[in-house]
Every structure is written in structure tokens, then in C-alpha cells.
Amino acid sequence: MTATPLNIQLGQLPDGDLALISGSSLPGDVKRIEYYRDQKLFMLIYDIPDHEGDLMHYELRDDVAEKVKKRSSMVIVEPDAITGRPMGYYASLIQVGA
């Protein structure tokens, strides 16, 4: 696992969906998000061959971790590379561990 510092925050949308919101463009489209339950950490897996992904370096609080455990997808929000305007899309959330 590689560790790249990214400015990403976790939020909840009005409809209840959870979103990872990035302040800058990500290296590529997120193919899936792996959530390591024991460590309460996310790993972003991109649609880029040979890229190991980005591990988020903050552990979720217990109440937030419970919300994540109930999800099968999350919204990724990042600035469009051309316009800078926010854009969003869904990515699968894969739960790893007990």
C-alpha cells in the first residue's frame, strides 16, 4: 500500500449517502473503495494499472464507522480537471475484515 497525502474529507449528503470529498483532482477515477474495518481506514483503488492505491491516514470515529459498515457504495466528489467545478460519481465500497 502506498501513502499519498490527499486532502479528503468524509461527509454525508442530504439523501443519507456518504461522500469522500477531495479538495484536488485525484490521480484517476476511483474504481473502488476498500474499507478496512479493523483499522477503520479507507483505501482508494484507482482505474490505473500498476497503481497501488491511496491509503487514507485518519481512523474513523466509532459512530461514523457504523454508518460506513452499512454501505455498499460511496460518492466521490472532486474538482473537474478542466473546469475546477465539483463533480461526483459513485464507487463501490468493499468491506474488508470482521
Side-chain angles (χ1 to χ4, degrees), residues 68-89:
V68 172
K69 287 180 183 180
K70 298 175 184 175
R71 302 288 177 190
S72 62
S73 65
M74 293 181 72
V75 178
I76 302 293
V77 178
E78 65 177 308
D80 180 270
I82 297 170
T83 66
R85 300 178 98 181
M87 64 165 203
Y89 57 92

Side-chain angles (χ1 to χ4, degrees), residues 35 40 59-66:
Y35 177 63
K40 300 180 196 161
E59 185 176 311
L60 298 181
R61 295 187 329 245
D62 290 338
D63 60 325
V64 176
E66 286 304 314

